[in-house]
């Protein structure tokens, strides 16, 4: 199946293309993030139909969230334009979204039918994008995921490793709970969904995917540091948990992924299984950059 990847140059897009190459069941029609900064609906329609894709996967929103970037009004319009064009042309459209649509007030796992209740940025914008997409394209798929991490670009993992390397003594939050997802893992999930869509699976609406184990920022940093110590001298780096403030509420964003499992037979995988390989790639790329000067 020919798949138009919007945001193909971000780490999630690169990971999906790697799985395509490995399995050979789909062909990527890559469109980089810069090329998808359309200024009009006409440009979005042209992009959606140019190479006659059999599916469109939009990775821009999830990676904006991963980089701590707040989606802007024009980003909302672009997602609306693209999903509308796909719906009119009967092209399956998959939007990769984020757990940030939820405020995280509570401890139970979050289901697809739970009403988004974010009360801050970028939650408001994500909610608006999802709403506009589903209004324009009732047959669209919205796949929400936990915080994405990779060895390159600005994301949860690289920010932590950079901060530890610079500060040498760093503290991290140990209260808020989440389930991070490696880009290699979300690529596995997206490609598995495309496999079934390509043979006529009837799927639409919202699905959740996050890793099989929950963590805090501090516990995630501990795992990252342990992995980094295998590849770089990290003996003088000390990390700790931030001092707890009684007045601060605890946020818990953990997904129930049973709908995805029941519909696509996709199981959750622990994020820890991706940590060593991701940190190794980060260390190797950092060493190359350092050797350049």
């Amino acid at each position: 199946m020919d798949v138009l990847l919007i945001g193909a140059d971000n780490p999630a897009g690169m990971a999906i293309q790697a799985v395509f190459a490995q399995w050979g069941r789909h062909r990527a029609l890559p469109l980089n993030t810069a090329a998808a900064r359309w200024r009009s609906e006409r440009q979005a329609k042209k992009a959606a139909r140019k190479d006659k894709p059999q599916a469109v996967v939009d990775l821009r929103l999830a990676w904006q969230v991963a980089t701590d970037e707040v989606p802007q009004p024009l980003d909302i319009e672009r997602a609306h334009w693209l999903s509308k064009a796909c719906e009119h042309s009967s092209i399956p459209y998959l939007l990769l979204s984020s757990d940030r649509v939820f405020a995280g007030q509570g401890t139970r796992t979050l289901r697809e039918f739970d009403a988004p209740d974010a009360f801050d940025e970028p939650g408001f914008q994500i909610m608006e994008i999802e709403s506009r997409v589903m209004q324009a394209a009732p047959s669209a798929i919205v796949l929400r995921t936990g915080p994405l991490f990779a060895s390159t670009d600005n994301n949860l993992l690289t920010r932590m490793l950079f901060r530890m390397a610079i500060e040498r003594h760093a503290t991290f939050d140990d209260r808020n709970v989440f389930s991070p997802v490696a880009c290699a893992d979300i690529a596995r999930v997206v490609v598995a969904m495309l496999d079934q869509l390509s043979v006529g699976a009837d799927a639409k609406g919202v699905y959740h995917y996050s890793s099989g184990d929950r963590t805090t920022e501090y516990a995630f940093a501990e795992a990252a540091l342990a992995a980094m110590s295998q590849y770089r001298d990290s003996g003088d780096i000390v990390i700790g948990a931030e001092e707890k403030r009684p007045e601060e509420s605890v946020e818990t964003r953990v997904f129930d992924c049973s709908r995805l499992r029941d519909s696509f037979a996709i199981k959750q995988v622990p994020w820890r299984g991706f940590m060593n390989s991701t940190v190794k790639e980060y260390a190797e790329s950092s060493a190359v950059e350092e050797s350049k000067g």
Side-chain angles (χ1 to χ4, degrees):
M1 186 161 68
D2 289 346
V3 181
L4 178 61
L5 291 179
I6 311 291
D9 54 333
N10 71 43
M14 298 298 290
I16 290 173
Q17 291 178 80
V19 177
F20 281 0
Q22 178 184 358
W23 293 357
R25 293 195 286 270
H26 307 288
R27 184 170 73 100
L29 304 172
L31 188 66
N32 291 349
T33 303
R37 293 193 178 110
W38 308 303
R39 308 298 297 186
S40 69
E41 184 172 358
R42 180 175 174 275
Q43 291 177 320
K45 287 180 179 179
K46 183 177 179 181
R49 299 167 181 171
K50 179 182 176 184
D51 295 314
K52 299 181 180 180
Q54 294 161 293
V56 174
V57 177
D58 193 345
L59 306 167
R60 294 171 297 178
L61 173 60
W63 197 251
Q64 279 184 299
V65 178
T67 60
D68 270 350
E69 180 183 344
V70 176
Q72 299 302 305
L74 193 51
D75 296 314
I76 298 172
E77 293 302 322
R78 288 167 181 150
H80 172 76
W81 294 336
L82 181 61
S83 58
K84 181 179 177 182
C86 289
E87 185 76 7
H88 287 179
S89 298
S90 299
I91 302 170
Y93 174 78
L94 188 154
L95 172 70
L96 190 61
S97 188
S98 167
D99 61 356
R100 293 292 298 274
V101 294
F102 296 109
Q105 304 301 299
T107 58
R108 66 180 182 83
T109 55
L110 297 162
R111 300 290 300 272
E112 291 85 354
F113 54 73
D114 290 323
D117 59 355
F119 49 77
D120 61 359
E121 296 182 337
F124 289 139
Q125 289 83 353
I126 301 169
M127 290 166 59
E128 181 66 14
I129 289 175
E130 288 190 359
S131 175
R132 294 285 298 280
V133 163
M134 297 308 297
Q135 288 173 9
S139 63
I141 292 175
V142 173
L143 176 62
R144 295 178 183 144
T145 188
L148 295 175
F149 68 92
S151 63
T152 59
D153 207 347
N154 173 25
N155 61 82
L156 172 68
L157 177 62
T158 59
R159 286 193 296 270
M160 281 186 173
L161 292 173
F162 180 78
R163 184 180 161 202
M164 286 188 277
I166 295 298
E167 297 180 7
R168 312 311 284 186
H169 290 71
T171 59
F172 297 94
D173 174 75
D174 196 30
R175 302 187 71 189
N176 297 329
V177 179
F178 58 95
S179 293
V181 179
C183 281
D185 191 23
I186 202 63
R188 172 188 69 90
V189 172
V190 169
V191 175
M193 295 176 76
L194 290 171
D195 284 346
Q196 297 196 43
L197 291 173
S198 69
V199 294
D202 183 18
K204 61 182 179 180
V206 178
Y207 294 84
H208 285 174
Y209 180 79
S210 60
S211 61
D213 46 0
R214 57 184 67 191
T215 188
T216 64
E217 191 178 74
Y218 171 60
F220 189 80
E222 275 192 317
L225 180 57
M228 179 58 86
S229 65
Q230 301 178 54
Y231 309 109
R232 302 290 292 270
D233 183 8
S234 307
D236 65 331
I237 296 178
V238 178
I239 64 172
E242 291 178 349
E243 185 177 341
K244 297 179 180 179
R245 299 178 181 177
E247 69 276 10
E248 290 182 346
S249 61
V250 176
E251 296 178 2
T252 300
R253 294 185 182 91
V254 177
F255 282 154
D256 181 313
C257 304
S258 57
R259 185 180 187 222
L260 185 74
R261 182 196 63 218
D262 295 344
S263 300
F264 292 94
I266 296 172
K267 296 181 179 179
Q268 293 171 274
V269 174
W271 58 265
R272 292 180 184 273
F274 297 91
M275 181 61 80
N276 279 356
S277 60
T278 307
V279 170
K280 181 180 180 181
E281 291 174 3
Y282 175 86
E284 289 173 347
S285 63
S286 298
V288 170
E289 290 300 316
E290 290 172 5
S291 68
K292 290 179 180 178

